[in-house]
């Protein structure tokens, strides 16, 4: 990234800067941990049933942290949700780029999931407790550690004292755990303030303790309801049963055509991506999912491929006569809600067309099959050879001493699609502080402090790389 052999005046070379930054991160880490603990003590649950004063309080604390980290322009902002109600408070903090220099947007969220049943926690969810190298508490990983990664990187760079030619915008959302309902409106309302060349989303996971990862793919989603009708009205099962198959049975037969005998999705025309470079250990997968002894895994190929690069289709709801209301009649209609996860490279609209065509072509016994579309969400696949991605890989490799791996996530991060829609030219880097033991959303959530330290260093290195120091003014 530099075309000269000596760095610009006042700017250390990369190796010297990396070791100086590492020393700064080590020196500032105790204070950073203490600030993370203060954030964890604020029960900023964004779910509607919880007191939203705590979400406002955590926004205030995050704003103060960003102001103290040297960002001159800090605001707490809200946008309207689709129903017209105000969204949760988000913090936007900026330091403008010098003329011609790039801008990096650093994303995290300060709201948390509800704690769930307190009896399932070994410690108080909102009183941080360090055990060994892990700090336990709700939000300690997801995503208050993401907030502190941004704060820590800015503190470390300030301690290094270079004049970086890069604009920094930190955007800390307050309702990610409630589905980001005002996110798209927020991006639209504050488009100019949030516009960036590189977007770092610190809300995902690393591969394991000691091995960093970039999340380069997320599956998209198509859902909807398939309805099967066989009769104009219910009839007596003794008088008509035999020649007429009830709608519940016909729906079951139709649903059964959606997978082959091995458990692969059997809908023609769906994209199947390449196998990932890493795999999920089967024993760990069985334990993590709570699969019962003796239940076999469905589908073929690697487990990671089945989760990240292949489609998955689930029945997530059924409308049928309940057992309590069952009578000896032949059901005239039944319906199922289907949820189809689609891999990167699959257009959700095309996937929905394929699913609808499959359902119509497999109507059992000529039953009337209708499809009612639901939601669609786009899959995400990072541009793997962008300058920003190369800079991120180099920063991770320096911070951990080992190359990062590319991972996928089987679910979606809905706001990534919103970011892509509003900022199609930005390079989006999905990073994070979690590891497989972090138990985000579950009881006994924790962050590995050694990993958090590396994330802080990696992010500081990344910002310095993006600044393209060779061209910076002295
Ligand atoms: Zn999160």
């Amino acid at each position: 990234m530099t075309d000269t052999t000596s760095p610009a005046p006042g700017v250390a070379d990369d190796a010297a800067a990396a070791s100086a930054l590492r020393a700064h991160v080590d020196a500032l880490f105790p204070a950073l941990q203490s600030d993370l603990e203060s954030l964890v003590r604020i029960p900023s649950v964004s779910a509607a049933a919880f007191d939203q004063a705590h979400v406002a309080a955590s926004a205030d604390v995050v704003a103060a942290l960003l102001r103290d980290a040297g960002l001159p322009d800090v605001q707490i902002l809200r946008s309207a949700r689709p129903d017209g109600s105000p969204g949760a408070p988000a913090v936007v903090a900026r330091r403008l780029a010098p003329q011609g220099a790039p801008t990096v947007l650093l994303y995290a969220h300060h709201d948390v999931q509800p704690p769930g049943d307190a009896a399932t926690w070994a410690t108080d969810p909102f009183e941080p407790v360090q055990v060994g190298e892990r700090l336990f508490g709700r939000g300690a990983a997801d995503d208050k550690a993401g907030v502190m990664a941004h704060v820590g990187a800015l503190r470390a760079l300030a301690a290094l004292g270079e004049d970086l030619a890069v604009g920094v915008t930190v955007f800390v959302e307050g309702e990610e755990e409630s589905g980001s309902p005002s996110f798209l409106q927020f991006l639209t309302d504050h488009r100019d303030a949030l516009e960036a060349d590189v977007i770092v989303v610190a809300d995902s996971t690393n591969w394991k303790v000691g091995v960093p990862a970039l999340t380069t793919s997320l599956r998209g989603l198509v859902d909807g309801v398939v309805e099967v009708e066989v009769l104009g009205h219910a009839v007596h099962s003794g008088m008509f049963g035999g020649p007429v198959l009830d709608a519940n049975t016909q729906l079951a037969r139709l649903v059964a055509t959606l997978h082959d005998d091995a458990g692969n999705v059997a809908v023609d025309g769906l994209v199947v991506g390449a196998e990932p470079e890493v795999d999920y250990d089967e024993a760990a997968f069985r334990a993590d999912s709570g699969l019962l002894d003796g239940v076999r895994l469905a589908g073929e190929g690697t487990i990671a491929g089945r989760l990240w690069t292949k489609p998955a289709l689930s029945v997530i709801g059924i409308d049928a006569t309940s057992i309590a209301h069952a009578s000896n009649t032949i059901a005239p209609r039944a319906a199922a809600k289907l949820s189809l996860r689609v891999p990167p490279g699959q257009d959700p609209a095309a996937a929905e067309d394929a699913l609808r065509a499959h359902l119509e072509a497999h109507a059992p016994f000529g039953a009337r099959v209708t499809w009612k579309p639901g939601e669609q969400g786009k899959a995400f696949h990072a541009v793997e050879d962008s300058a920003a991605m190369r800079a991120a890989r180099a920063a991770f490799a320096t911070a951990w001493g080992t190359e990062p791996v590319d991972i996928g996530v089987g679910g979606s991060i809905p706001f990534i699609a919103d970011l892509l829609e509003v900022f199609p030219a930005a390079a989006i880097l999905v990073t994070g502080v979690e590891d497989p033991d972090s138990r985000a959303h579950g009881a006994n959530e924790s962050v590995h402090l050694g990993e958090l330290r590396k994330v802080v260093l990696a992010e500081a290195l990344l910002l310095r790389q993006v600044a393209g120091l060779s061209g910076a003014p002295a």
Side-chain angles (χ1 to χ4, degrees), residues 109 142-143 176-177 203 434 441:
H109 61 88
D142 182 13
D143 187 26
E176 197 277 341
E177 301 295 8
D203 193 21
E434 292 169 31
H441 299 195

Side-chain angles (χ1 to χ4, degrees), residues 53 68 83 113 184 209 214 290 296 323 340 343 346 368 383 401 417 448 457 464 469 472:
D68 291 348
D83 67 3
Q113 283 278 325
L184 188 55
V209 172
L214 286 160
R296 294 190 302 279
I323 291 170
L340 174 62
Q346 171 81 72
R368 210 172 278 175
V383 179
H448 188 288
L457 175 59
R464 193 174 177 277
L469 283 169

Side-chain angles (χ1 to χ4, degrees), residues 339-361:
S339 167
L340 174 62
R341 299 276 176 182
V342 298
Q346 171 81 72
D347 170 38
E352 178 166 1
D353 288 346
L355 177 58
R356 182 203 305 255
H358 176 101
L359 292 166
E360 288 168 358

Side-chain angles (χ1 to χ4, degrees), residues 113-414:
Q113 283 278 325
D117 180 2
T120 59
W121 284 75
T123 58
D124 180 341
F126 296 110
E127 183 50 50
V129 175
Q130 183 176 350
V131 180
E133 285 225 81
R134 304 196 76 97
L135 182 71
F136 288 83
R138 172 57 85 231
D142 182 13
D143 187 26
K144 287 171 171 172
V147 176
M148 296 316 299
H150 301 327
V151 171
L154 293 170
R155 287 180 183 171
L157 287 169
L160 191 64
E162 291 177 336
D163 195 8
L164 290 186
V166 65
V168 175
T169 305
V170 184
F171 171 27
V172 183
E173 193 198 348
E175 55 184 24
E176 197 277 341
E177 301 295 8
S178 296
S180 304
S182 68
F183 194 88
L184 188 55
Q185 188 61 47
F186 196 93
L187 294 188
T188 309
D189 291 348
H190 304 290
R191 192 198 168 95
D192 291 346
L194 298 171
E195 181 116 57
D197 303 281
V198 178
I199 300 174
V200 178
V201 175
D203 193 21
S204 189
T205 183
N206 287 300
W207 180 237
K208 52 185 158 186
V209 172
V211 181
L214 286 160
T215 300
T216 56
S217 80
L218 301 164
R219 286 195 295 197
L221 177 73
V222 172
D223 68 26
V225 172
V226 61
E227 185 178 47
V228 172
E229 293 173 284
V230 295
L231 292 165
H233 52 84
V235 293
H236 193 287
S237 61
M239 306 295 285
F240 294 94
V244 181
L245 266 187
D246 65 273
N248 296 329
T249 299
Q250 302 235 32
L251 176 66
R253 292 177 72 90
L254 178 59
V255 165
T257 67
L258 294 170
H259 295 86
D260 66 19
D261 287 346
N264 301 296
V265 174
V267 176
D268 282 343
L270 295 182
V271 168
V272 172
E275 288 287 359
E277 65 180 32
V278 289
D279 199 9
Y280 206 139
D281 173 66
E282 179 166 346
F285 179 80
R286 296 185 71 94
D288 291 350
S289 62
L291 205 66
L292 298 180
D293 283 346
V295 177
R296 294 190 302 279
L297 299 184
E300 293 167 309
T302 64
I303 293 173
R306 281 177 258 174
L307 289 169
W308 305 340
T309 60
K310 289 180 176 171
L313 187 46
S314 305
V315 176
I316 58 171
I318 292 184
D319 277 358
T321 312
S322 69
I323 291 170
H325 291 103
S327 62
N328 283 320
T329 53
I330 297 179
R333 68 170 288 279
K337 182 162 188 180
L338 305 181
S339 167
L340 174 62
R341 299 276 176 182
V342 298
Q346 171 81 72
D347 170 38
E352 178 166 1
D353 288 346
L355 177 58
R356 182 203 305 255
H358 176 101
L359 292 166
E360 288 168 358
H362 290 79
F365 297 94
R368 210 172 278 175
V369 171
T370 50
W371 172 255
K372 292 181 185 133
E375 288 183 39
Q376 284 188 6
K378 287 194 181 79
F380 164 73
H381 196 253
V383 179
E384 281 170 21
D385 64 348
S386 66
M389 189 62 87
R390 285 194 296 275
R393 286 191 211 288
F396 278 53
T398 301
W400 268 266
T402 186
E403 292 289 326
V405 296
D406 287 350
I407 61 169
V409 169
S412 47
I413 304 180

